Amino acid sequence: MVNKILKLKKEKGYIILAHNYQIPEIQDIADFVGDSLQLAKLAIELEEKRILFLGVDFMAELVKILNPEKKVIIPDRNATCPMANRLTPTIIEEYKEKYPEASVVLYVNSTAECKAMADVICTSANAIDVIEKVDSEVILFGPDKNLAEYVAEKTGKRIIPMPANGYCPVHQFDPTSVEKARKKFPNARVVVHPECPKEVRDNADYVGSTGQMEQIPEIDLSQTFVVGTEIGMVHKLRKKFPHKNFVPLENTVCVNMKKNTLENSLLALETESFEVVLPDDVLEKAKAPILKMFEIMG
Ligand code: SF4
């Protein structure tokens, strides 16, 4: 199966990009494994005009928005993000009417249609920097209420979560999970994602995006790390740092990320579908707040 995929990919001129939360077998066949923004930016630099994207739909859309001339295919149309889907253009309209003075900052985990209505986009890695630099003290932020709360704590700005109850089900760790992990691994460092609830973030040693999680074992000499994010990240860290130990805070799985398999990846290459197609106006309008983020970050 793996050989067939690699052969077909080469014959048809595809490159395979996979998100950090993909199953190990998928990560192992990918040309690049990274977070959503790393992959979308990387796609700009690639010579290949055809991309098999293995993640969820908003990530594939992001690649398409930044690379409109390239063909982007995904193996399963139902691989979507329940958190991204909680925010809709109608909700954004309602909040904008209620808070006309506020800037709209959307997390990259949002649909292309919603991005098209934002002033600027951010990632979990740069949310604090972006919001500090936005010229407004009141921010409408969606769709993750936990990231909104974390950024409010760090920046002191008034961050209004939009919708009020958006969250990633995968990162809702038990509030006592960090304490339990410390009892089991007393010498470990605990690293969690900012999408986690406050009790979990407050008890961790580090709070960071998946990209930042990859840098921590380089600067922290600890041997063992407890990782509070989707289980797929543990595979990536173990591969990158084979002499260190990584254990999941809890075995939490994003079922949507796991919809991509070797079987449907092969089928996607054989049939060159499903292609990511977005209306021209959405492509154009959604690109502007992403470019604004690049500009803000320098
Ligand atoms: S891990 Fe959470 S935010 Fe990421 S795709 Fe799955 S549900 Fe969405």
Side-chain angles (χ1 to χ4, degrees), residues 10 37 50 65 96 105 108 138 161 176 178 187 206 212 223 239 247 291:
K10 207 170 166 196
L37 189 66
R50 293 168 183 193
I65 292 164
K96 276 181 156 184
V105 180
V108 69
V138 186
T176 62
V178 176
N187 298 320
Y206 298 100
Q212 289 161 337
Q223 192 56 30
K239 257 179 107 173
V247 286
L291 296 182

Side-chain angles (χ1 to χ4, degrees), residues 90-104:
T90 310
I91 294 175
I92 299 177
E93 282 299 349
E94 285 166 8
Y95 273 76
K96 276 181 156 184
E97 267 179 39
K98 202 167 167 194
Y99 302 96
E101 77 286 13
S103 291
V104 177

Side-chain angles (χ1 to χ4, degrees), residues 19 21 56 58-59 80-84 107 109 167-171 195 230 254-257:
H19 188 265
Y21 296 165
V56 292
F58 78 81
M59 299 174 176
T80 189
C81 170
M83 180 174 76
Y107 188 22
N109 299 27
Y167 63 88
C168 165
V170 176
H171 287 90
E195 288 176 19
E230 210 272 351
C254 176
V255 288
N256 281 286
M257 285 282 182

